[in-house]
Amino acid sequence: MLAMLSVRACHPYELHRLIVDTHKDYVTGLPRSLYHAVERLAGEELIIPVATSREGRRPERTVYEITDEGRRELSTRLRALLENPTPDRRAFAAAVSLVGTLPVPDALRALRTRAAAIEGLLAGMNAHLRVMKDSGLPDVLMIEVDYERMLNEAELSWVRAVIARLDSGELGWSDTTRHDLLSQVLDEP
């Protein structure tokens, strides 16, 4: 929500529509959890209400915008998700989907940190697999470690490719986090 509000002030229903329309499938428990999250973020002063309106007999809608503290918190949280590999890859997928809210140099640093962390994980896994193989343990008993190793290798390859695209200028987003892009999604019937 902080990332979406960093683009444009909107009310929780608009946020819900944006999440659904852009297929942010990692967001679960909608829409009730969305309203609880908005309340929590407002309580932490990461977002603030800026307007309230009512259309006909519909309930009042409060429009929120992100605060400077909210932007700092978004940047901190997003960099942590990008930098730190975890067994739950959904968090990384979520972070990647929001990477455009970071300045490109920050995204590059975070992705380079992740690549180094994955390289360390792979070195440890490869050493573990060699020791187990040398001990005479049948491969089938370590097949899940091999599976995780392959997933990490694929992720490392992808992260390196994204870093190369960012370094070359092929991939960038200086003008993509714009109000008009969000409006296109929200204003479609």
Side-chain angles (χ1 to χ4, degrees):
M1 282 178 282
L2 291 174
M4 290 175 232
L5 290 173
S6 73
V7 177
R8 175 181 138 179
C10 43
H11 54 77
Y13 179 74
E14 286 176 306
L15 291 171
H16 177 250
R17 274 196 48 210
L18 180 63
I19 290 166
V20 171
D21 292 348
T22 58
H23 303 283
K24 302 295 186 204
D25 298 332
Y26 54 83
V27 180
T28 60
L30 294 175
R32 183 179 300 149
S33 63
L34 182 69
Y35 287 92
H36 292 298
V38 166
E39 288 174 19
R40 185 179 49 78
L41 292 171
E44 295 173 11
E45 297 181 356
L46 300 176
I47 63 174
I48 56 170
V50 292
T52 303
S53 64
R54 180 187 302 267
E55 291 180 22
R57 294 172 36 161
R58 291 186 175 178
E60 246 182 22
R61 290 190 174 170
T62 302
V63 174
Y64 294 88
E65 73 178 10
I66 192 169
T67 63
D68 288 340
E69 181 62 27
R71 288 180 198 286
R72 285 188 292 276
E73 184 66 19
L74 168 62
S75 180
T76 298
R77 290 180 187 186
L78 193 52
R79 282 193 322 267
L81 289 172
L82 289 169
E83 291 173 354
N84 303 307
T86 63
D88 182 4
R89 286 181 165 77
R90 291 175 299 177
F92 182 57
V96 166
S97 79
L98 304 172
V99 72
T101 63
L102 288 176
V104 171
D106 289 359
L108 268 168
R109 272 192 299 280
L111 290 171
R112 286 187 176 117
T113 299
R114 185 179 195 88
I118 294 171
E119 288 167 354
L121 283 171
L122 285 168
M125 292 176 125
N126 289 332
H128 182 65
L129 285 168
R130 274 192 307 278
V131 168
M132 296 286 82
K133 187 170 187 85
D134 291 347
S135 74
L137 190 69
D139 287 347
V140 72
L141 296 179
M142 294 299 295
I143 201 162
E144 77 280 2
V145 176
D146 187 49
Y147 170 72
E148 278 298 316
R149 182 180 59 80
M150 293 301 290
L151 289 176
N152 283 318
E153 284 180 358
E155 183 178 320
L156 179 58
S157 175
W158 184 84
V159 169
R160 285 177 175 161
V162 171
I163 290 169
R165 291 176 68 200
L166 285 168
D167 278 338
S168 73
E170 176 192 340
L171 178 65
W173 51 79
S174 62
D175 291 333
T176 58
T177 308
R178 299 187 325 239
H179 297 284
D180 60 318
L181 293 175
L182 184 58
S183 295
Q184 287 174 355
V185 173
L186 292 174
D187 295 338
E188 290 177 357

